[in-house]
């Protein structure tokens, strides 16, 4: 099982550590350039600055690879800036900021305010239960289309969504010691892998797993 | 949502903010136009200043916190985080910046120190702080006071990277030397470098500083930025290096790409092409003791 962590910028090592703690057999590769995403069984998009992500993803040619991987059903875990990057529409985006547009939600950037207004709070996550949410200049999901499940809320605000194999959170599970969300993601990767092994898809049998 | 259950300004929140900056470039800007250039080049944050360090150095006199009006205009112009500097020990300037809503405060030797004995007690603020350091002891003293991020001091406003290199190498080698030491030996180190034992121990266990560590002070080209990343920096601050260069837009983008591709010399060669003149700079060794900024703070 090879997980690609997008590493152009952001809290990359925290996700790598969380994945390794969640499963000792997982292999992690850092994605800074083109050509790695197509080999991955799962993709993690970390927290960071979404405007920086956009610029570097386009520049390095990783943009189309992620969109293509999502279309193939490769599981994605996205946190904070990662959630913004996947979304179809962004309110309060920077000038000229594009997004991958594969997740059918409308998000608001910096929805709670600036760093001063960043906070920790307990949230409920579907299939997991109570979870410590670390919200740093966090976005919220303001609208979801059909096919998107709301899996986490803080009061009346949507802070976690799932659409097929995409899981997105407004907070940072990678900043806590609680690995339940990363485990949930890896279980999804295993399930998808199992289904693909069962099918006749030739490219999965070639995927490097060592 | 019960408001009393939201916990603001915790160590996790403050250090977490710094972690989101990793792998990024933070650029000094003095007006909204420069801030927009920085944002579209892919900066992770901007540092709002009245003047860049090279100009502060040239102007002489007392350097203070920027005009709140300038800072607010920059905050309005961009969506990325905005940082600003306060004088060492000037906690009222810090309270003013916190009231403005600045995302991170740099307690900086680039400005004229306001207190010759005490740095700011950063733990009582909700806004995270970044502080400069020249060696491990200085870095850990700042973390003990509540800094959520460390940067090398380097020698700001010179465009000469050697001091940043020296400081980064000193910090990294001191951390390597902690490896394998017994608790008693670590206590000895703590006494010697004048840092709290608990932080020395934590650093030894982690094999790195307990907070994010950026490079700053003299970075002027994409190659300089990549050099600092190779030496173990988590990201870079570029002060005068961008807006004192001949083509700021190009230089800004090139440095962002260099930080992402620091391990790839072919890409570094490509992004370094045709950038025009970098800032002119000064050899940091020619500065007198009074002219050096890095000796401010302790």
């Amino acid at each position: 099982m090879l997980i690609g962590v997008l590493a152009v910028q952001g809290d990359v090592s925290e996700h790598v550590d969380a994945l390794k703690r969640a499963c000792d057999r997982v292999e992690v590769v850092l994605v800074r350039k083109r050509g790695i995403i197509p080999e991955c069984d799962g993709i993690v998009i970390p927290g960071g600055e979404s405007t920086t992500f956009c610029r570097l993803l386009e520049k390095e040619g990783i943009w189309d690879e992620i969109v293509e991987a999502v279309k193939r059903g490769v599981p994605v875990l996205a946190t904070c800036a990662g959630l913004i990057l996947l979304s179809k529409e962004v309110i309060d985006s920077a000038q000229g900021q594009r997004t991958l547009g594969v997740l059918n939600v409308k998000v608001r950037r910096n929805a709670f305010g600036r760093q001063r207004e960043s906070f920790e709070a307990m949230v409920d996550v579907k299939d997991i239960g109570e979870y410590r949410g670390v919200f740093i200049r966090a976005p919220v999901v303001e609208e979801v289309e059909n096919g998107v499940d709301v899996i986490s809320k803080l009061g009346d605000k949507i802070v976690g969504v799932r659409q097929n194999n995409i899981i997105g959170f407004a907070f940072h599970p990678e900043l806590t010691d609680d690995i339940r969300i990363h485990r949930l993601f890896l279980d999804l990767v295993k399930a998808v892998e199992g289904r693909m092994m069962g099918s006749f898809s030739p490219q999965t049998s070639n995927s490097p797993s060592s | 949502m019960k408001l009393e259950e939201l916990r603001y300004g915790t160590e996790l929140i403050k250090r977490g903010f710094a972690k989101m900056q990793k792998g990024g470039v933070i650029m000094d800007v003095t007006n909204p136009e420069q801030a927009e250039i920085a944002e579209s080049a892919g900066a992770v944050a901007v540092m709002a200043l009245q003047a860049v360090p090279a100009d502060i150095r040239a102007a002489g006199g007392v350097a203070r916190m920027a005009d709140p009006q300038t800072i607010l205009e920059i905050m309005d112009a961009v969506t990325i985080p905005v940082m600003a500097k306060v004088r060492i020990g000037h906690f009222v300037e810090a309270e003013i910046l916190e009231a403005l809503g600045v995302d991170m405060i740099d307690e900086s030797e680039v400005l004229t120190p306001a207190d010759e004995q005490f740095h700011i007690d950063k733990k009582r603020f909700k806004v995270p702080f970044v502080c400069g350091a020249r060696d491990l002891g200085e870095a850990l003293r700042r973390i003990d006071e509540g800094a959520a991020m460390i940067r090398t001091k380097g020698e700001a406003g010179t465009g000469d990277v050697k001091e940043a290199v020296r400081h980064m190498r000193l910090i990294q080698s001191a951390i390597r030397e902690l490896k394998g030491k017994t608790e008693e030996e670590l206590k000895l180190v703590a006494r010697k470098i004048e840092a709290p034992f608990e932080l020395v121990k934590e650093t030894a266990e982690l094999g790195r500083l307990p907070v994010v560590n950026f490079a700053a002070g003299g970075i002027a080209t994409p190659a300089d930025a990549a050099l600092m990343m190779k030496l173990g920096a988590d990201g870079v601050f570029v002060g005068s290096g961008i807006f004192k260069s001949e083509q700021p837009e190009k230089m800004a983008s090139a440095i962002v790409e260099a930080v992402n591709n620091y391990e790839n010399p072919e890409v570094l060669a490509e992004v370094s092409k045709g950038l025009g003149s970098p800032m002119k700079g000064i050899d940091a060794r020619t500065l007198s003791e009074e002219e050096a900024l890095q000796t401010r703070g302790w």
Side-chain angles (χ1 to χ4, degrees):
Chain A
M1 183 163 52
L2 183 70
I3 307 296
V5 179
L6 191 66
V8 294
Q9 194 268 314
D11 68 335
V12 177
S13 63
E14 286 71 14
H15 270 292
V16 174
D17 290 348
L19 288 166
K20 291 193 166 156
R21 274 186 285 126
C23 172
D24 49 15
R25 286 172 296 112
V26 73
E27 259 196 274
V28 181
V29 56
L30 301 184
V31 181
R32 288 204 181 91
K33 57 182 186 202
R34 195 173 167 79
I36 302 169
I37 290 283
E39 308 294 328
C40 296
D41 305 309
I43 301 167
V44 174
I45 308 181
E49 279 307 317
S50 60
T51 51
T52 307
F53 286 6
C54 288
R55 213 196 114 68
L56 287 170
L57 288 185
E58 279 190 276
K59 201 84 195 171
E60 306 294 340
I62 308 170
W63 190 278
D64 299 336
E65 290 185 337
I66 298 178
V67 173
E68 198 270 332
V70 169
K71 283 186 184 149
R72 276 189 292 127
V74 175
V76 181
L77 172 65
T79 59
C80 195
L83 171 68
I84 297 168
L85 187 69
L86 292 176
S87 303
K88 202 164 150 185
E89 199 181 332
V90 182
I91 307 164
D92 283 353
S93 62
Q95 255 188 335
Q97 184 182 5
R98 282 176 62 208
T99 56
L100 295 168
V102 291
L103 179 61
N104 296 326
V105 300
K106 190 191 270 189
V107 299
R108 182 181 292 279
R109 277 183 78 196
N110 305 336
F112 298 95
R114 308 191 70 94
Q115 175 59 19
R116 198 174 53 182
E117 283 82 42
S118 296
F119 59 90
E120 296 175 43
M122 297 311 288
V123 294
D124 267 314
V125 179
K126 194 179 164 189
D127 299 329
I128 285 181
E130 244 197 359
Y131 197 94
R132 177 171 300 281
V134 180
F135 293 82
I136 296 177
R137 287 172 49 99
V140 296
V141 175
E142 297 223 330
E143 281 175 43
V144 299
E145 288 180 17
N146 280 342
V148 180
D149 277 342
V150 172
I151 58 169
S152 183
K153 276 185 141 186
L154 175 70
D156 58 354
K157 295 193 190 314
I158 302 171
V159 293
V161 291
R162 176 161 175 188
Q163 172 190 310
N164 299 322
N165 296 337
I166 303 175
I167 309 173
F169 291 103
F171 55 90
H172 294 281
E174 73 280 10
L175 291 185
T176 66
D177 293 331
D178 191 339
I179 52 170
R180 288 177 295 166
I181 282 178
H182 286 82
R183 201 170 271 160
L184 187 82
F185 167 66
L186 291 174
D187 286 344
L188 176 64
V189 175
K190 274 178 222 158
V192 171
E193 222 184 5
R195 275 206 300 278
M196 281 175 139
M197 290 294 208
S199 78
F200 49 85
S201 172
Q203 63 267 43
T204 49
S205 56
N206 293 337
S207 69
S209 53
S210 59
Chain B
M1 161 172 45
K2 292 179 201 134
L3 276 175
E4 65 273 19
E5 287 171 6
L6 304 187
R7 297 173 61 224
Y8 296 94
T10 61
E11 281 302 303
L12 184 60
I13 291 295
K14 292 198 270 190
R15 292 185 180 189
F17 170 80
K19 287 177 176 175
M20 297 310 143
Q21 305 285 304
K22 286 196 296 181
V25 182
I26 300 167
M27 301 181 190
D28 278 5
V29 300
T30 58
N31 58 49
E33 294 71 37
Q34 290 183 351
E36 281 166 20
I37 290 172
E39 182 176 55
S40 49
V44 288
V46 293
M47 178 74 69
L49 286 162
Q50 209 64 47
V52 293
D55 291 337
I56 292 176
R57 186 180 281 288
V62 175
R64 308 178 178 91
M65 173 187 82
D67 184 336
Q69 187 62 39
T70 307
I71 297 170
L72 286 172
E73 282 169 13
I74 290 168
M75 284 165 64
D76 281 342
V78 291
T79 62
I80 54 176
V82 176
M83 307 181 177
K85 290 185 194 291
V86 298
R87 287 178 266 178
I88 289 172
H90 206 314
F91 57 86
V92 172
E93 283 187 348
E95 286 168 3
I96 291 170
L97 291 189
E98 185 170 58
L100 288 176
V102 159
D103 296 291
M104 183 174 241
I105 298 173
D106 184 2
E107 186 182 20
S108 177
E109 69 283 0
V110 169
L111 306 182
T112 312
D115 193 319
E116 298 194 313
Q117 258 190 310
F118 298 103
H119 280 251
I120 296 170
D121 172 13
K122 294 167 272 289
K123 287 200 165 133
R124 69 178 181 89
F125 287 82
K126 290 211 159 42
V127 169
F129 279 74
V130 55
C131 289
R134 287 163 297 174
D135 54 41
L136 182 60
E138 196 172 9
L140 296 182
R141 286 193 291 280
R142 296 295 87 78
I143 295 168
D144 184 47
E145 292 156 1
M149 181 178 188
I150 293 295
R151 56 170 174 75
T152 60
K153 283 182 168 175
E155 190 54 46
T158 59
D160 184 351
V161 79
K162 78 163 83 70
E163 294 303 304
V165 167
R166 184 203 315 281
H167 300 156
M168 187 56 77
R169 282 194 184 277
L170 276 174
I171 291 172
Q172 304 292 14
S173 77
I175 293 172
R176 277 192 298 272
E177 278 170 26
L178 298 179
K179 209 180 162 193
K181 280 199 165 32
T182 64
E183 198 146 300
E184 291 161 304
E185 289 167 335
L186 291 176
K187 279 185 181 158
L188 197 65
V189 173
R191 274 211 303 280
K192 206 172 115 200
I193 66 172
E194 296 177 53
F197 166 67
E198 287 305 321
L199 285 174
V200 173
K201 195 176 156 198
E202 191 183 350
T203 305
E205 281 163 6
L206 293 169
R208 58 155 296 141
L209 284 182
V211 302
V212 167
N213 183 22
F214 268 46
I219 295 158
T221 65
D224 288 350
L227 174 65
M228 297 314 300
M229 294 301 287
K230 277 253 179 190
L231 291 175
D234 291 317
V236 299
F237 283 88
V238 185
S240 320
I242 289 168
F243 292 100
K244 284 283 163 190
S245 73
E246 197 179 4
Q247 300 182 65
E249 278 105 335
K250 273 189 155 180
M251 186 61 87
S253 299
I255 292 179
V256 170
E257 281 172 57
V259 167
N260 185 42
N261 291 287
Y262 71 96
E263 290 178 309
N264 190 338
E266 284 81 21
V267 178
L268 294 177
E270 195 55 42
V271 304
S272 300
K273 280 183 193 161
L275 296 178
S277 309
M279 69 180 284
K280 181 163 179 285
I282 324 164
D283 183 337
R285 273 199 313 201
T286 64
L287 296 174
S288 68
E289 207 162 308
E290 297 76 53
E291 289 170 315
L293 301 176
Q294 59 175 280
T295 48
R296 295 168 165 181
W298 46 92

